[in-house]
Amino acid sequence: MRYISTRGTAPALSFEEVLLTGLASDGGLYVPESLPSFSAEQLEEMASLDYPSLAHRILLPFVDEAFSSEELREIIDDTYSVFRHSAVAPLVQLEHNQWVLELFHGPTLAFKDFALQLLGRLLDATLKRRGEKVVIMGATSGDTGSAAIAGCQRCENIDIFILHPHNRVSDVQRRQMTTLSGPTIHNLAIEGNFDDCQAMVKASFRDQSFLPDGRSLVAVNSINWARIMAQIVYYFYAGLALGAPHRAAAYSVPTGNFGDIFAGYLAAKMGLPIAQLMIATNRNDVLHRLLSSGDYARQALEHTLSPSMDITVSSNFERLMFDLYDRDPSAIAALMAAFDDGDIALSEAAMSNARAMFASHRVDDAETLACISNVWEKTGYLLDPHSAIGYAAATLADAKSGVPWVTLATAHPAKFPGAIERSGVAAVPTLPAHLSDLFDLDEHFDVLPNDMAEVHRFMSAHLGA
Ligand SMILES: *Cc1c(COP(=O)(O)O)cnc(C)c1O
């Protein structure tokens, strides 16, 4: 399988090369040159597979030259054995035609574990084979940091530096990162906001000369293709449980960077019958405005009760745009260059391509809290604020009716006790047993000024030999 850049001038890469990189050298994102697809007969046969077996079936074509079938199988079995539900991604019915797909049974209680636990193991195997070391550098406002550290903490060949805005992430989220320790793990609390952290990471990827010879940076945010790939699997898992290939389901996806829902779009292209994909956003609604009006326009960041969806631009949307423009890289390069200077409008043809599969709905904080409490009252089920946005969109929006709806439950409610309390429900979400001592463990992090030279000096000084 070859991977090509959405902007057309970077070299095509193999899976292994894509795994070890971030953005393409032309500023684009890597996508597979072509997708594997499954026939109705194959889907029927896949319907009985458990999660790891299904993951192996779906992911093997993407990695072909880099891992043998047996190697991949071992890695996948190990990856999903650390999840705390035997189904890995259990599907729970809440109402007629309304299901939630629980994606929070991994080590850090958010769906990001599905991809980052796998990514850590794929990287580890690749680096061992090549005898190389890499540096992971990422910025987080919440779930990515802990999931990335948890996924890579045992990899001797990876030094990991995660930047978070000092005093601006929740206690649970910070402690999930800072209580993991080891010689290769570095939490940097930056005296600035999330955008400052993100800007430093982006600039560091552009100019990696601060690193010693032989080391390079690997991205752990969802621009890394391997993350998207891993997320395709659970769309199939839920769809097959609900009757694919004979019945289509619709999915409502709490969306920030567009990585998770883009994986759903790929599942549809690979043969899974999908009736609709709902982009559920909070007040940071750049994609909802785009789908409503065709204008792709930045707005100031708003802080909401669903912090993992607080973004102003959804980077992975470029991967969809590539398809919306019939895979014409020069069209994407021109659009993205124009977007750097201001707002852009998509063509009529691109918009009608998008509307064929996607709907969108925006949910504000008051509606989020109302959804948490309504669902609790009606069903006794406790949604976290991100999942509540998805559920509200699936039930309130002008969604395709008559089809089963699956809301992706992206985080465990115990990660966001403040929002649960504000919703007024009588329930107090408790952390699962493996995290029950989270508030007793020692934290490890270094506070650094919002200064790139200082951060680079720190990183050089702390890189393992
Ligand atoms: C990251 C995250 C999202 C958003 O996912 P994207 O792939 O960025 O769209 C939604 N909910 C939770 C809990 C998350 O951690």
Side-chain angles (χ1 to χ4, degrees):
M1 176 85 63
R2 304 289 291 169
Y3 293 84
I4 55 173
S5 164
T6 50
R7 301 197 193 174
T9 51
L13 299 183
S14 67
F15 178 75
E16 192 167 292
E17 291 165 325
V18 152
L19 183 68
L20 291 171
T21 183
L23 281 181
S25 56
D26 56 9
L29 297 174
Y30 278 105
V31 289
E33 198 165 37
S34 63
L35 286 172
S37 78
F38 300 102
S39 66
E41 294 74 49
Q42 287 173 314
L43 289 177
E44 273 174 5
E45 203 186 290
M46 287 154 71
S48 60
L49 298 179
D50 63 12
Y51 195 90
S53 307
L54 185 66
H56 180 255
R57 187 74 197 270
I58 291 170
L59 300 182
L60 187 60
F62 288 109
V63 306
D64 48 13
E65 309 105 27
F67 294 89
S68 71
S69 173
E70 296 70 36
E71 255 180 309
L72 183 68
R73 180 70 215 212
E74 252 173 58
I75 289 174
I76 286 174
D77 284 349
D78 187 49
T79 299
Y80 296 107
S81 72
V82 303
F83 281 57
R84 283 174 176 78
H85 194 293
S86 63
V88 183
L91 191 59
V92 178
Q93 183 165 19
L94 295 190
E95 298 177 75
H96 177 64
N97 269 350
Q98 295 292 341
W99 277 263
V100 296
L101 181 63
E102 294 185 341
L103 301 177
F104 50 71
H105 295 285
T108 73
L109 313 184
F111 83 93
K112 292 185 170 73
D113 289 325
F114 277 82
L116 285 163
Q117 286 292 320
L118 181 66
L119 178 67
R121 287 165 174 81
L122 291 173
L123 282 172
D124 197 35
T126 303
L127 293 169
K128 275 191 184 131
R129 184 164 57 218
R130 290 162 65 121
E132 288 173 13
K133 292 187 172 223
V134 295
V135 179
I136 281 178
M137 184 182 189
T140 190
S141 56
D143 298 328
T144 304
S146 55
I149 294 171
C152 301
Q153 60 180 338
R154 278 175 214 88
C155 310
E156 288 158 14
N157 296 333
I158 302 176
D159 286 287
I160 177 161
F161 296 84
I162 297 293
L163 284 60
H164 71 264
H166 189 37
N167 290 331
R168 295 191 203 202
V169 296
S170 79
D171 286 349
V172 175
Q173 289 183 317
R174 189 194 63 251
R175 285 185 160 271
Q176 282 191 305
M177 298 189 274
T178 59
T179 56
L180 297 173
S181 65
T184 56
I185 299 173
H186 306 281
N187 281 289
L188 310 187
I190 303 294
E191 293 171 317
N193 60 27
F194 173 67
D195 286 339
D196 298 327
C197 298
Q198 180 87 329
M200 275 198 257
V201 171
K202 279 196 176 155
S204 304
F205 270 84
R206 276 195 298 273
D207 178 3
Q208 303 188 12
S209 57
F210 68 99
L211 292 172
D213 278 353
R215 301 279 177 106
S216 58
L217 294 180
V218 170
V220 284
N221 59 7
S222 53
I223 64 172
N224 191 311
W225 161 256
R227 276 192 58 182
I228 306 285
M229 173 186 94
Q231 294 166 182
I232 296 171
V233 178
Y234 46 70
Y235 286 88
F236 276 92
Y237 191 63
L240 291 167
L242 290 174
H246 306 293
R247 179 165 77 153
Y251 297 79
S252 180
V253 187
T255 295
N257 227 347
F258 204 74
D260 204 6
I261 196 166
F262 183 69
Y265 165 80
L266 295 177
K269 290 197 18 162
M270 290 166 65
L272 181 69
I274 293 187
Q276 195 165 56
L277 289 167
M278 173 69 74
I279 303 169
T281 77
N282 64 23
R283 267 178 302 141
N284 297 289
D285 61 347
V286 57
L287 291 174
H288 175 60
R289 284 182 283 115
L290 171 72
L291 229 68
S292 315
S293 68
D295 295 325
Y296 197 32
R298 290 185 183 85
Q299 262 181 5
L301 187 78
E302 303 233 26
H303 291 282
T304 72
L305 294 173
S306 42
S308 301
M309 295 156 64
D310 289 347
I311 49 91
T312 52
V313 173
S314 301
S315 359
N316 277 297
F317 193 69
E318 179 168 342
R319 286 187 159 119
L320 178 67
M321 281 189 6
F322 186 55
D323 277 10
L324 299 180
Y325 281 84
D326 300 323
R327 306 203 125 205
D328 172 4
S330 55
I332 301 305
L335 271 169
M336 295 315 292
F339 190 53
D340 282 341
D341 302 326
D343 304 336
I344 55 175
L346 300 200
S347 71
E348 260 317 306
M351 285 306 297
S352 82
N353 287 344
R355 289 189 182 120
M357 176 58 81
F358 293 94
S360 66
H361 192 65
R362 180 184 66 153
V363 178
D364 67 18
D365 280 353
E367 292 167 309
T368 305
L369 295 173
C371 178
I372 293 173
S373 85
N374 287 341
V375 168
W376 172 256
E377 294 300 325
K378 260 203 276 192
T379 71
Y381 190 87
L382 193 57
L383 291 165
D384 102 287
H386 304 79
S387 312
I389 286 176
Y391 200 78
T395 50
L396 300 174
D398 188 15
K400 236 178 211 161
S401 58
V403 295
W405 273 86
V406 177
T407 294
L408 272 52
T410 50
H412 190 289
K415 280 193 104 157
F416 302 97
I420 304 298
E421 197 182 314
R422 279 184 57 187
S423 74
V425 304
V428 180
T430 48
L431 287 166
H434 76 282
L435 289 172
S436 58
D437 60 353
L438 190 65
F439 282 83
D440 305 324
L441 297 173
D442 287 338
E443 293 192 70
H444 305 269
F445 61 95
D446 290 274
V447 181
L448 291 182
N450 179 16
D451 178 297
M452 191 145 82
E454 290 275 347
V455 170
H456 286 174
R457 217 168 302 146
F458 181 95
M459 289 175 68
S460 309
H462 289 84
L463 279 178

